[in-house]
């Protein structure tokens, strides 16, 4: 059935996709666990960054197709799967105000690309491979999921994956702007952890406001209350200490 594992070490939370023998393919239960995990994390006062990775050298190979016969051929069941299970997990990630770093290795297909698309920083191994295998099964990607992938990976890439069942390597995905960095396999975990630790060491409220701003920009509008929060932040203790530290006056207390 697989599971989504959560561990917290001080300001850093680690979310691990685990489905032994299936390259961490997402089951329905895992989608629900993903949603619950990312709704829970922002309530943890000490957590400042989330690192998401897969177990055993793979990120996520897509959805668990062994479950598909139970809902794929029934309209109401299919809608429930995509709108509640899948989009429930993805939207929880998208709505999370904590910065999210993706450590991508091996297979990153279908659901894996969707989950990676919800992350702020994407660090990948040279061996990582990206695609949407549902094209070979004759399934379309749900519209909101396709919109998410097209926004983050680009419409050209989304078309290749969905219409040609193209599988692209990490170097190509970096060239297309989806990945921040590509490294030899052995260096991916240390780099992802280093980036997450660096983010966790910065001002948490500023990071949350930046994420809210980016989310609003991508939606096409910035709410008035968000602008007020950003300007109000200028008078906060966290902001003053950050400025003083930057100017060399004292050590920040974040």
């Amino acid at each position: 059935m697989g599971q989504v594992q959560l561990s917290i070490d001080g300001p850093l939370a680690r979310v691990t996709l685990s489905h032994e023998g299936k390259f961490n393919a997402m089951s329905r239960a895992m989608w629900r666990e993903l949603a619950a995990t990312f709704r829970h994390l922002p309530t943890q006062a000490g957590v400042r960054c989330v690192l998401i990775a897969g177990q055993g050298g793979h990120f996520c190979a897509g959805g668990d197709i062994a479950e598909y016969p139970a809902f794929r051929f029934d309209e109401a069941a299919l809608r429930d799967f995509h709108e509640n299970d899948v989009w429930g997990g993805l939207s929880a990630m998208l709505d999370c105000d904590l910065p999210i770093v993706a450590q991508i290795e091996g297979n990153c297909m279908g659901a894996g690309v969707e989950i990676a698309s919800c992350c702020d920083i994407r660090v990948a191994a040279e061996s990582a491979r990206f695609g949407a295998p549902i094209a070979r099964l004759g399934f379309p990607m749900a519209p909101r999921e396709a919109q998410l992938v097209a926004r983050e990976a680009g419409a050209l890439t989304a078309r290749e994956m969905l219409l040609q069942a193209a599988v692209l390597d990490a170097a190509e995905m970096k060239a297309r702007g989806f990945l921040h960095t590509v490294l030899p396999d052995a260096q991916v975990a240390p780099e992802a952890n280093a980036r997450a630790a660096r983010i966790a060491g910065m001002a948490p409220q500023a990071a949350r406001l930046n994420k809210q701003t980016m989310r609003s920009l991508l939606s096409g509008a910035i709410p008035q209350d968000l602008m007020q929060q950003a300007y109000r932040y200028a008078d906060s203790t966290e902001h003053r200490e950050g400025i003083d530290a930057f100017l060399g006056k004292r050590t920040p207390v974040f």
Side-chain angles (χ1 to χ4, degrees), residues 116-187:
S117 293
C118 297
C119 299
D120 302 295
I121 304 293
R122 293 182 278 265
V123 179
E126 290 176 339
S127 66
R129 297 292 181 268
F130 302 79
I134 56 171
R136 293 179 178 170
L137 300 174
F139 299 145
M141 184 176 280
R144 284 200 291 191
E145 296 161 43
Q147 181 185 42
L148 171 64
V149 173
R151 187 186 75 196
E152 294 297 316
L156 179 148
T157 299
R159 288 189 179 100
E160 275 192 82
M161 289 181 176
L162 295 176
L163 302 180
Q164 295 181 196
V167 175
L168 305 172
D169 63 23
E172 183 64 23
M173 291 297 281
K174 183 178 186 300
R176 296 186 184 196
F178 184 70
L179 300 173
H180 291 87
T181 190
V182 176
L183 297 166
D185 291 14
Q187 297 178 24

Side-chain angles (χ1 to χ4, degrees), residues 8-246:
I8 297 176
D9 182 10
L12 182 60
R14 185 179 183 90
V15 175
T16 304
L17 308 176
S18 177
H19 200 163
E20 189 175 356
K22 296 195 175 184
F23 301 132
N24 308 321
M26 295 291 289
S27 65
R28 297 193 75 168
M30 289 173 70
W31 282 118
R32 293 166 186 154
E33 289 175 4
L34 188 73
T37 297
F38 276 92
R39 291 183 188 125
H40 168 72
L41 280 169
T43 70
Q44 303 307 293
V47 175
R48 299 184 181 184
C49 186
V50 184
L51 175 64
I52 185 167
Q55 191 87 281
H58 292 276
F59 188 68
C60 172
D64 184 359
I65 61 174
E67 295 183 337
Y68 285 8
F71 57 84
R72 271 291 168 189
F73 307 104
D74 179 275
E75 182 181 346
L78 183 62
R79 182 182 295 111
D80 178 63
F81 169 68
H82 282 290
E83 295 298 317
N84 294 318
D85 293 341
V86 177
W87 193 251
L90 297 174
S91 63
M93 292 185 71
L94 291 169
D95 292 342
C96 180
D97 287 340
L98 297 169
I100 306 171
V101 177
Q103 176 185 318
I104 305 172
E105 301 163 280
N107 287 312
C108 183
M109 302 287 175
V113 175
E114 294 174 5
I115 291 169
S117 293
C118 297
C119 299
D120 302 295
I121 304 293
R122 293 182 278 265
V123 179
E126 290 176 339
S127 66
R129 297 292 181 268
F130 302 79
I134 56 171
R136 293 179 178 170
L137 300 174
F139 299 145
M141 184 176 280
R144 284 200 291 191
E145 296 161 43
Q147 181 185 42
L148 171 64
V149 173
R151 187 186 75 196
E152 294 297 316
L156 179 148
T157 299
R159 288 189 179 100
E160 275 192 82
M161 289 181 176
L162 295 176
L163 302 180
Q164 295 181 196
V167 175
L168 305 172
D169 63 23
E172 183 64 23
M173 291 297 281
K174 183 178 186 300
R176 296 186 184 196
F178 184 70
L179 300 173
H180 291 87
T181 190
V182 176
L183 297 166
D185 291 14
Q187 297 178 24
V188 173
E191 176 65 16
N193 277 278
R195 288 187 179 228
R198 182 178 181 185
I199 292 170
M202 295 184 182
Q205 185 58 21
R208 290 174 185 242
L209 287 170
N210 283 333
K211 281 211 64 173
Q212 291 170 23
T213 298
M214 291 302 299
R215 187 160 58 238
S216 298
L217 287 171
L218 291 171
S219 71
I222 301 179
Q224 187 66 31
D225 64 337
L226 179 58
M227 289 191 285
Q228 292 173 351
Q229 286 182 56
Y231 297 137
R232 194 178 302 125
Y233 175 73
D235 195 41
S236 70
T237 300
E238 178 184 282
H239 183 236
R240 291 175 183 274
E241 290 178 339
I243 293 296
D244 286 345
F246 182 76

